[in-house]
Amino acid sequence: MMSTKVSQWQRIALLAAALSASVVSTAWGGVPGLYQMHLDASIWQYTGEPCAGSSCLGWVELDNNPITAFIAAGGGKLYQVHTDGTIWSYTGPPCSGSSCPGWVQLDDNPITQSIGVGGAVLYQTHSDGSLWLYTNTPCNGNSCPGWLRLDQKPITVIFGAGGGFLYERHLDGTFWQYTGPPCYGNSCPGWLKLDDNPSTLAIFAAGAHGVYQQHETGSIWQYTGTPCTGNSCPGWVELDNNPETSEIFAGGDLYEQHLDHSIWQYTGTPCNGNSCPGWMMLDDNPSTLAVVPGPNTVYQQHTDGSIWQYTGTPCNSNGCGGWRMLDDNPATQFTVADGMIF
């Protein structure tokens, strides 16, 4: 039976990459931008062929390196971080036997903590709280100059990117948007405060249609475009107020997962007082381990390692049949879809 315990590296990936969901083009000539990492740290790409019964042949191996810690994807590109902090980008080709040459090194920094992708832009955080943007210059020998520092705050808890914007959340619950310029020496002035609410969790999602945050009560809020003025931060509208909400995810659409593991999609109607009718149930499977949205669809992974894609039919009186299986491998550790890890 697959263990569902999340390691420190996996938790970093969940907090950083999963919150940096973005809507991007499908990778490599129409093949769905869906990837998985196995318990042996091997990396696999979905080729577009769903399971036929118990046969799930639609996967090709991209790497088999046992020191891979986690993966992230976006903008038609796939990245991995090794346990030594190095960052690598997939350039192809896929593995041929035990040879997997399709990777180029982007950084070699032992204090790398996490990476995230917003559109076609790659970011990383260091253990000192700094936040960096990749400038598309790979390593040359021991020199890895392709990074630009955007912030240097040890109180930064998590960051995320989507819709062309970069965000971060601080320990005090404040929420910030990057507006530029990058850091100059010890000065990093390029940030605009969007919220100042101590009840904001370290759970937010950035997608095609905006950025969302979750409060301790389970309520979900969308940013409307008005930043803070002094202590006033009015730029948020409530989308849900359900204490059963456990997590939110954004890509082409916004999704929430409840404590019972059910999956819900936001349909566009915000709350009106205590009424929040803008949600549609897509699944109610207690075996759901995690949820990830792509640009035009949403996937889920079960506790048995199987991966499923939503086919467009929400739950009704006959059940929640709108899912098809893409893989049934108990060795699956976590899965990535164009900009989100779960």
Side-chain angles (χ1 to χ4, degrees), residues 46-71:
Y46 180 57
T47 62
E49 180 182 353
C51 298
S54 59
S55 177
C56 303
L57 302 178
W59 296 86
V60 59
E61 190 177 24
L62 305 187
D63 202 13
N64 58 9
N65 196 323
I67 66 169
T68 297
F70 58 89
I71 56 177

Side-chain angles (χ1 to χ4, degrees), residues 201-235:
L201 292 174
I203 296 177
F204 72 88
H209 303 297
V211 64
Y212 313 87
Q213 61 169 293
Q214 183 176 329
H215 289 184
E216 294 172 351
T217 61
S219 61
I220 300 171
W221 301 76
Q222 180 178 10
Y223 180 59
T224 61
T226 303
C228 298
T229 302
N231 293 326
S232 175
C233 303

Side-chain angles (χ1 to χ4, degrees), residues 6-213:
V6 180
S7 70
Q8 180 181 3
W9 276 108
Q10 293 174 52
R11 189 172 300 280
I12 289 170
L14 285 164
L15 289 175
L19 295 177
S20 63
S22 60
V23 176
V24 294
S25 60
T26 301
W28 296 306
V31 175
L34 181 67
Y35 313 88
Q36 61 171 293
M37 179 173 162
H38 288 184
L39 292 170
D40 63 1
S42 61
I43 302 170
W44 300 75
Q45 180 183 4
Y46 180 57
T47 62
E49 180 182 353
C51 298
S54 59
S55 177
C56 303
L57 302 178
W59 296 86
V60 59
E61 190 177 24
L62 305 187
D63 202 13
N64 58 9
N65 196 323
I67 66 169
T68 297
F70 58 89
I71 56 177
K77 295 182 178 181
L78 175 67
Y79 307 93
Q80 64 170 294
V81 177
H82 289 180
T83 54
D84 60 4
T86 57
I87 302 173
W88 302 76
S89 174
Y90 179 66
T91 58
C95 298
S96 176
S98 60
S99 175
C100 303
W103 296 87
V104 61
Q105 189 175 11
L106 307 186
D107 202 11
D108 187 12
N109 198 322
I111 66 169
T112 296
Q113 186 175 44
S114 62
I115 61 172
V117 189
V121 183
L122 175 66
Y123 305 92
Q124 67 165 300
T125 60
H126 290 178
S127 56
D128 62 3
S130 59
L131 174 61
W132 301 74
L133 176 148
Y134 180 57
T135 61
N136 295 313
T137 302
C139 298
N140 184 359
N142 292 325
S143 175
C144 302
W147 295 89
L148 181 68
R149 185 161 55 103
L150 305 186
D151 204 8
Q152 181 77 52
K153 287 188 176 66
I155 61 172
T156 299
V157 173
I158 198 68
F159 76 99
F165 297 100
L166 175 66
Y167 308 92
E168 65 179 29
R169 187 259 190 191
H170 291 180
L171 281 170
D172 58 5
T174 56
F175 198 82
W176 302 77
Q177 177 182 330
Y178 180 66
T179 58
C183 298
Y184 182 77
N186 292 324
S187 176
C188 302
W191 294 87
L192 178 69
K193 187 163 71 169
L194 305 187
D195 203 10
D196 189 9
N197 195 323
S199 67
T200 299
L201 292 174
I203 296 177
F204 72 88
H209 303 297
V211 64
Y212 313 87
Q213 61 169 293

